[in-house]
Amino acid sequence: MSDFPDHNAGTATGASDTKKAKGATKQIRIALVGNPNSGKSSLFNALTGLNQKIANFPGVTVEKKSGFTTLIDSQGQHIKAEIIDLPGTYSLYPKSLDEQVPFRVLCDPDYMAAPDLVVVIADSTNLKRNLFLCSQIMDLKTPVVLALNMMDLIEVKGIKIDIERLAARLGIPIVPINARKGTGIAGLKSAMADFKFVDRPDFIDVRAFSPALIDGIRAMIDCHSDYAAFQAANNLHLIHYFQKRPEKAHQIETLVSTLDFDPFKAQASESLQRYEVITTIIKECQVGDSSKRTFSDRLDKILTHRIYGYAIFLSILFIVFQAIFSWATYPMYFIEGMFVDLSNATSALLPQGILNDLIVNGILAGLGGIVIFVPQIALLFFFIGILEDTGYMARVSFIMDKLMRKVGLNGKSVIPLIGGVACAVPSIMATRSIHGWKDRMITIMVIPLMSCSARLPVYALIISLVIPSTAILGIINLQGLVLMAMYLLGFVAALMAAWVMKKLIKGRERGYYIMEMPVYHAPRWSNIAIDIFDKVKVFLFDAGKVIIAISIILWALSSYGPTERMDAIDLKYNKLATSAAINSDSLQVARQADLLENSYAGIMGHWMEPAIRPLGYDWKIGIALLTSFAAREVFVGTMSTIYSANAESEDTQSVRAKLSAEINPQTGQKRYTAAVGISLMLFYAFAMQCMSTVAVVKRETRSWKWPLIQIAYLSVLAYISAFAAYNLLS
């Protein structure tokens, strides 16, 4: 058995070892590789549709997106293909953690899920840079199909590419496509189905850099190309194969040292030679001036302007948050009414008792309290999807770079920060694209300050309670303005926290900012729809499982308490029931309140109350705060369950109606005043109430030090901010 297994040996069609017996459907694994913003995600969605799944790459925490499609080869045989969307990279010399993923998949023989075929997707408007990565993969002697994307844009620029001549020059199949519009996908699928491994000549002769080194490494380990041996010498520390075989790694290190081989000079020489060959090929196969200014270039003068750029970005945010409150109103009312009707019907259908109470006041109350906010969540992801798909988000990153550097970050931090508006977990993993340990660590530490989608139900509920739904100048929704202010507050707080950490965290290397500006596009609505569907599904099912579990536990804790306390309450109200002077309805409400207060949940809430009373909270809010540390969105379900336990069984009002009717017994006024509401929103804006985020920070930093620091500083910030707001506004 060879040290570097040949993933393509013994097959005429590139079939993997996972193929089934003759006559059965073949199975192959295909990797999509390309530069950032080359259109990989669009192609991935075009190939797989909704047949996708998200996980982590083995051994790393970078998100792995894979899907399946069916190919049909020229013989009519069906092939089941797993498509793996690898993180974008410019070359096989990784500069950041996410760029290590394509390197390991393509260059590490210990990677068990190595692809049978690599589809390199290239931006045809910048062929020179994109062919660099393609040529490296070709020199690994890996089966390659080149997908030339954005062919419509080169026509606009007046560029023509001789596809047949380019394919003959490179020695690989080339398929022109437009991934966004789905043009050329059928031809690409045919090329993928009929791929063959062809023994091509090397694109450049890396053996010439150090013949003794290449020959020595190939004598030590059985690799299938000079370039694979060259990569072993250059990136030895990144290849797990050698980490597990230290004796071979030591042999190569000794050889490198003996021959006085300098990896940095070798990489520079390789790059120069590749670009010399690529330049010659482009002159032969491409006609036209690629530097011609386009509509995107002219639009960038406005959208990336040092003054107008910020104003336009704030205007877009204003429109987004106005729409989230305005457009979502009617579907939210519909869902709210649907759950009220469902609760009423369930309560009437089932006999009164524990089961009725559990389903109506436990499960339906908790679930209804979160499903109602799906329209707002979907709208948030809809607008984020448009900003990303049009190419505008890359411009936001560019214009924010100067501001980011002043607080210890860089432009690449903007994408994870804005992604934090959706969810902190994938955003923290996305920091792997940031060059520089210090920049990455600061970004990780401040991402939880960005208001994620889990906070949106909390904000929406509280804003609807304490902020009037009035229109400023007849068109500006005040509730939408407050929501926008909460999101901007998170961003400003993140910048301030980053500035402090810039002073405290000692950097080991200097970060830098490189980002490819994608061409502006009209949004691809199918991509946005798939993304919204995936995100809402995760929100509903992942959060829903937690919410239902906690709702059931809370229902039990709210319905039961110490026997002596429950018996004393029953005795008290049985005696009062004999008095004709007391209204039976009032008596029942008082009894329910007493039972809740003396339940196990009530005891927990009262135990917390002294610590949270200075913030304007009572013991019921204390219970919700406690459960919210599992996940922030649990707050709404918890409040719905708590207030359902405090109501009569036939009272199935919405959670908003119940909270709005709550009276503070000490003041006789509404419990949820503006002071309490804003204090509560500030607490949720800053507190680290997400165990998933804590787990991923620990995993990314490989230490408990950073998540513990994060929990501590965010908790202190949340408490002080909530305390100040309540006492200033009261």
Side-chain angles (χ1 to χ4, degrees):
M1 179 182 251
S2 65
D3 284 309
F4 273 28
D6 187 350
H7 301 125
N8 313 297
T11 67
T13 61
S16 73
D17 295 336
T18 58
K19 288 187 176 72
K20 298 181 180 178
K22 187 176 180 180
T25 301
K26 294 180 180 179
Q27 296 182 12
I28 61 173
R29 186 177 293 110
I30 300 173
L32 296 185
V33 182
N35 292 176
N37 295 314
S38 59
K40 282 191 303 88
S41 295
S42 295
L43 177 58
F44 178 75
N45 287 335
L47 290 172
T48 62
L50 287 173
N51 191 17
Q52 303 174 6
K53 63 180 181 180
I54 297 174
N56 285 336
F57 285 98
V60 291
T61 52
V62 174
E63 191 176 84
K64 168 187 178 182
K65 212 172 183 183
S66 64
F68 295 88
T69 189
T70 300
L71 308 175
I72 303 176
D73 66 16
S74 55
Q75 306 301 315
Q77 185 171 17
H78 286 67
I79 302 170
K80 183 178 180 181
E82 179 186 8
I83 312 294
I84 302 172
D85 185 12
L86 296 178
T89 185
Y90 291 105
S91 74
L92 292 180
Y93 294 107
K95 300 294 188 297
S96 60
L97 292 173
D98 64 339
E99 290 181 352
Q100 291 180 18
V101 173
F103 172 83
R104 184 184 174 197
V105 170
L106 298 173
C107 300
D108 194 335
D110 260 2
Y111 189 80
M112 300 307 295
D116 302 293
L117 169 68
V118 175
V119 174
V120 177
I121 182 166
D123 176 358
S124 58
T125 65
N126 199 333
L127 198 56
K128 184 175 183 178
R129 191 196 63 246
N130 283 256
L131 283 181
F132 185 88
L133 174 63
C134 182
S135 69
Q136 286 183 313
I137 298 172
M138 288 165 51
D139 278 349
L140 289 173
K141 305 304 180 184
T142 300
V144 175
V145 172
L146 177 61
L148 277 185
N149 196 24
M150 308 179 193
M151 293 298 290
D152 56 327
L153 298 180
I154 65 169
E155 294 177 5
V156 173
K157 286 192 169 189
I159 300 172
K160 291 184 179 180
I161 298 175
D162 188 334
I163 302 293
E164 291 185 4
R165 188 169 187 176
L166 182 61
R169 193 73 169 78
L170 296 177
I172 59 173
I174 299 178
V175 183
I177 66 168
N178 185 327
R180 298 176 62 84
K181 297 180 180 179
T183 307
I185 301 301
L188 179 61
K189 281 187 164 186
S190 297
M192 290 159 62
D194 288 320
F195 79 91
K196 297 179 181 179
F197 176 69
V198 178
D199 189 12
R200 305 176 297 266
D202 291 331
F203 193 84
I204 64 170
D205 183 14
V206 292
R207 186 177 180 279
F209 297 138
S210 179
L213 177 71
I214 300 299
D215 292 342
I217 292 176
R218 297 199 70 169
M220 293 179 199
I221 54 176
D222 185 10
C223 44
H224 301 286
S225 71
D226 286 344
Y227 194 59
F230 184 74
Q231 282 290 349
N234 281 279
N235 293 305
L236 189 66
H237 64 290
L238 295 177
I239 301 177
H240 286 202
Y241 173 87
F242 295 111
Q243 293 173 10
K244 294 180 179 179
R245 299 164 180 83
E247 71 287 349
K248 290 185 179 292
H250 179 68
Q251 291 174 6
I252 293 178
E253 287 173 345
T254 301
L255 183 62
V256 167
S257 176
T258 302
L259 296 174
D260 199 22
F261 177 76
D262 187 338
F264 296 105
K265 289 183 179 179
Q267 290 175 29
S269 299
E270 177 200 344
S271 298
L272 288 172
Q273 286 198 22
R274 285 192 187 279
Y275 276 123
E276 285 176 5
V277 177
I278 290 169
T279 300
T280 302
I281 292 174
I282 289 177
K283 286 181 180 178
E284 295 175 7
C285 305
Q286 178 176 297
V287 178
D289 181 12
S290 60
S291 64
K292 180 181 177 182
R293 293 181 63 80
T294 63
F295 171 74
S296 287
D297 299 325
R298 293 191 293 272
L299 193 56
D300 273 342
K301 293 195 71 174
I302 301 171
L303 295 183
T304 62
H305 190 273
R306 60 190 181 91
I307 297 174
Y308 307 146
Y310 289 105
I312 291 169
F313 180 48
L314 288 174
S315 300
I316 290 172
L317 287 182
F318 171 78
I319 294 169
V320 166
F321 291 113
Q322 287 290 304
I324 285 175
F325 250 97
S326 300
W327 297 359
T329 300
Y330 295 107
M332 287 178 71
Y333 278 133
F334 173 77
I335 294 171
E336 185 178 66
M338 184 180 69
F339 268 90
V340 169
D341 292 342
L342 180 61
S343 297
N344 286 331
T346 305
S347 181
L349 181 65
L350 296 176
Q352 295 301 312
I354 293 177
L355 181 62
N356 187 313
D357 195 33
L358 169 63
I359 294 175
V360 174
N361 295 325
I363 297 174
L364 290 179
L367 197 56
I370 199 70
V371 174
I372 186 176
F373 297 104
V374 164
Q376 289 182 327
I377 299 292
L379 276 173
L380 178 64
F381 289 130
F382 171 73
F383 287 116
I384 290 175
I386 289 177
L387 295 177
E388 289 179 341
D389 213 39
T390 54
Y392 178 70
M393 201 67 86
R395 274 72 186 181
V396 173
S397 175
F398 174 76
I399 64 175
M400 295 296 289
D401 179 58
K402 189 174 182 180
L403 175 62
M404 294 286 106
R405 289 198 175 278
K406 291 180 180 179
V407 299
L409 303 171
N410 68 43
K412 276 207 167 183
S413 301
V414 174
I415 300 300
L417 285 173
I418 293 177
V421 171
C423 181
V425 173
S427 298
I428 288 170
M429 292 192 290
T431 62
R432 286 178 162 245
S433 65
I434 297 173
H435 303 264
W437 176 85
K438 182 176 179 178
D439 288 0
R440 180 171 181 253
M441 289 304 303
I442 295 176
T443 307
I444 287 174
M445 294 298 285
V446 303
I447 281 176
L449 286 166
M450 300 297 292
S451 288
C452 64
S453 58
R455 290 180 173 106
L456 183 56
V458 181
Y459 292 161
L461 175 63
I462 298 171
I463 287 172
S464 68
L465 286 173
V466 303
I467 305 297
S469 181
T470 56
I472 301 172
L473 302 177
I475 56 171
I476 301 174
N477 186 295
L478 180 59
Q479 293 181 334
L481 271 181
V482 174
L483 182 63
M484 177 180 172
M486 293 305 301
Y487 277 82
L488 288 177
L489 176 65
F491 184 68
V492 172
L495 295 185
M496 293 174 65
W499 182 81
V500 173
M501 291 179 190
K502 175 186 177 183
K503 310 292 184 182
L504 298 177
I505 298 176
K506 302 302 179 183
R508 297 186 297 223
E509 56 185 318
R510 184 176 179 84
Y512 56 93
Y513 175 61
I514 300 175
M515 173 164 280
E516 179 72 16
M517 288 290 192
V519 178
Y520 288 104
H521 294 286
R524 186 180 176 187
W525 302 111
S526 59
N527 280 4
I528 294 174
I530 290 171
D531 192 52
I532 292 172
F533 177 81
D534 286 341
K535 298 289 176 56
V536 171
K537 182 174 69 173
V538 169
F539 177 78
L540 275 180
F541 287 92
D542 287 9
K545 286 184 288 189
V546 175
I547 289 165
I548 289 177
I550 290 179
S551 294
I552 293 173
I553 294 169
L554 270 177
W555 169 83
L557 293 174
S558 304
S559 301
Y560 299 96
T563 304
E564 63 278 7
R565 291 195 183 197
M566 298 292 107
D567 289 344
I569 292 171
D570 286 338
L571 182 62
K572 172 185 173 182
Y573 285 96
N574 286 338
K575 288 180 179 179
L576 291 173
T578 60
S579 173
I582 301 177
N583 181 280
S584 60
D585 290 340
S586 299
L587 191 66
Q588 180 64 16
V589 170
R591 181 177 182 275
Q592 288 296 120
D594 246 358
L595 286 171
L596 176 61
E597 194 164 352
N598 287 277
S599 67
Y600 293 115
I603 293 170
M604 290 168 55
H606 280 294
W607 175 75
M608 291 182 60
E609 197 169 26
I612 60 176
R613 191 180 295 118
L615 310 182
Y617 311 156
D618 66 353
W619 59 273
K620 294 177 186 176
I621 297 177
I623 297 171
L625 290 179
L626 191 63
T627 58
S628 294
F629 277 90
R632 294 179 184 96
E633 60 269 40
V634 173
F635 170 84
V636 180
T638 298
M639 297 302 284
S640 184
T641 303
I642 290 293
Y643 279 91
S644 294
N646 193 24
E648 298 179 73
S649 59
E650 63 270 14
D651 182 5
T652 51
Q653 301 177 72
S654 69
V655 63
R656 286 191 293 182
K658 292 170 184 173
L659 294 179
S660 182
E662 175 75 355
I663 300 297
N664 185 335
Q666 296 176 346
T667 64
Q669 304 298 317
K670 286 190 173 184
R671 162 68 66 187
Y672 292 92
T673 62
V676 172
I678 292 173
S679 169
L680 200 51
M681 285 196 292
L682 286 174
F683 189 92
Y684 273 87
F686 298 139
M688 183 72 161
Q689 295 165 297
C690 181
M691 292 302 100
S692 297
T693 302
V694 173
V696 79
V697 171
K698 192 268 176 186
R699 190 169 56 184
E700 288 293 314
T701 61
R702 299 181 182 180
S703 169
W704 276 110
K705 169 187 172 182
W706 299 106
L708 289 176
I709 292 173
Q710 205 171 43
I711 292 170
Y713 97 82
L714 289 173
S715 298
V716 170
L717 180 60
Y719 193 93
I720 292 175
S721 301
F723 176 84
Y726 175 70
N727 286 278
L728 288 172
L729 296 173
S730 293

